[in-house]
Amino acid sequence: MIEDETGRLRELITIGIDSSRIRDFDLLMERILQSARDFVRCDAGSLYIKQEDRLLFSFTQNDTLSARLEPGRKLVYNTFSIPVNKNSLAGYAAMTGETLNIPDAYNLPGTLPFQIDKQYDRISGYRTSSILTVPLKTHTGKIIGVLQLINAMDKDRQVIPFDKAIEHYVNYFASQAAAALERAHLMRTIILRMISMAELRDPKETGNHVNRVAGYSVEIYENWAGKRGISAGETERNRDVLRMAAMLHDVGKVAISDLILKKPARLAVDEYEIMKQHTVAGARLFNDPASDLDEAAKDVALNHHECFDGTGYPGHVDISTGEPLPGHADSEGKPTPKRGEEIPLFGRIVAIADVYDALSSVRVYKEAWDESRVLDEMRNGSGRHFDPEIIEAFFSVLPSIKAVAGRYERG
C-alpha cells in the first residue's frame, strides 16, 4: 500500500511539473483533462471554467467517440454554460466545493437535488455510467472550475465505478491544476490587455478574432506536424508557443494612425504602405527576445503578411531601422521579398489562419463572405499566397477550425 501511494504521489508530481511548462490557457485545459484521465484510467471527461455565477463547458475528451472518427479527425463539440447551483453535478460541486463520486449516473437516488442530463448520451449514442466530479480549488479555497471524469475503466476497458481511494489523489491533482490554470489565466490576461491596446485603435482587432486565429493556427500546425513525423514533445511545445504568438500577430497596429486604422473604406496606396509597417512595429516589440515566446511572437508579427510566391510584405527588413537587410535591397532601394521557406513556419501558418478569419468576418469595407467563396479563395491561394503543404493541413482540419470559430463567435 505504501509503495502504491508513493508511486501515485510520484506520478502526480511528474504531472504537475509537465503541466507547469504549458503557458497557454486553452492548451493547459487540454493537458489537465488528459493527465487526469490517464491518472484514473477513464474513458472520457470534461472541464468547466467558472465565470461569475455560471460554469462554461470549456473542454471535453471521449476515447469511445473519438475512435468512431476517421483517422486524423478530432472530436468536435460545442461550448455552453450552466448555472452554479445544485441542479447539476458540476454546478453542485462548484457551489458546495464537494467531490461527487457517482457509481451509476442512470440510477441516482431521487432524494438527490441533481440528475444527469441524458440528452448528450441520446444524441451521441454514448452511455455515461460512473462519474467523478471534482471542484478545482486554489490554495485560498476559491473555486475556479470543475473537473468531471467519466466511466472509469478496468484493465480490460470495462466500465467500473471510480475507486473511493482515488478521490484524495484526484483532489490533490485538482489543486495543482487550479494553480496552473490561475497562472495561465494571468498570462492570457496580459496578452489580451496588450491586444486591447490594438483593439482601441482598430475595432476589428478583438479578443475573439485573435483567439480564433490562434485556435486555427494550432489545429493547422498539429496536423502539419503529424504528417511530418514531428515528435509529440516538440509538437506540444510548439503548439503552446504558437498559440500565444498568434494572438499577438497584429499588436503592431498600435503604431498606426487612427485615420488609417478606422477609415471606413479601402485604403489608398500611400495609406496601405503605412499600414504595412504594423508588421515591423509589432516585431520591434520583441526585438530583444528573452524567451521562445518572444522569438515566436516576433516571427509571427513580422511575417504573417508574407506570401509564398514572394509578393507579400515587409520582406527582408531590419526591424530596428525599417531598412532593407544588407544585400536585400532591390533596384528601388526597397527590401526584397521573402518567398517559400524563407518565411518562418509560424508566419506561414498564421497567414492562412488570419486570411480565413478576415474573409469569414465583417469588415468596415465588406460583408462576411459565404463559406464556399472563402474556401475557394483559400484553395486558389495555394502556391501563391499560401504554402501548399500547410494549406493542405488547413483543409484536413476544417471541421476542427469551424468548431474553434463556434467557440469564439464572430461579432
Side-chain angles (χ1 to χ4, degrees), residues 18 24 42 89 94 116 131 177 185 227 240 256 284 302 305 316 323 377 382 384 403:
D18 289 344
D24 179 73
C42 70
L89 274 73
I116 73 157
I131 306 177
H185 184 263
K227 291 176 179 176
D240 186 35
I256 306 301
R284 195 173 290 144
L302 184 65
H305 283 292
H316 293 279
E323 298 298 318
E377 184 72 12
S382 179
R384 297 187 294 112

Side-chain angles (χ1 to χ4, degrees), residues 48-67:
Y48 296 80
I49 297 299
K50 189 170 182 287
Q51 295 183 343
E52 297 180 351
D53 60 349
R54 297 190 71 83
L55 289 175
L56 180 65
F57 180 83
S58 299
F59 209 88
T60 191
Q61 296 168 351
N62 189 305
D63 288 349
T64 294
L65 296 183
S66 293

Side-chain angles (χ1 to χ4, degrees), residues 221-223 225-226 229-240:
Y221 170 74
E222 189 172 8
N223 183 273
I230 307 298
S231 71
E234 183 178 350
T235 297
E236 182 165 285
R237 287 191 298 274
N238 284 339
R239 289 168 73 231
D240 186 35

Side-chain angles (χ1 to χ4, degrees), residues 7-22 28 30-41 147 169-170 172-177 180 183 236:
R8 288 192 180 278
L9 290 173
R10 187 180 297 116
E11 186 178 352
L12 286 173
I13 291 169
T14 300
I15 290 171
I17 292 171
D18 289 344
S19 296
S20 69
R21 297 188 178 117
I22 299 175
L28 180 59
E30 179 182 354
R31 166 54 76 88
I32 285 170
L33 184 54
Q34 185 64 61
S35 296
R37 291 179 51 234
D38 290 343
F39 183 73
V40 301
R41 195 160 59 192
L147 174 67
Y169 295 106
V170 177
Y172 175 74
F173 171 89
S175 67
Q176 288 185 310
R183 289 193 298 270
E236 182 165 285

Side-chain angles (χ1 to χ4, degrees), residues 142-156:
K142 177 184 175 183
I143 294 175
I144 65 168
V146 173
L147 174 67
Q148 194 159 75
L149 304 172
I150 299 170
N151 286 356
M153 313 291 283
D154 64 17
K155 64 182 186 333
D156 299 317

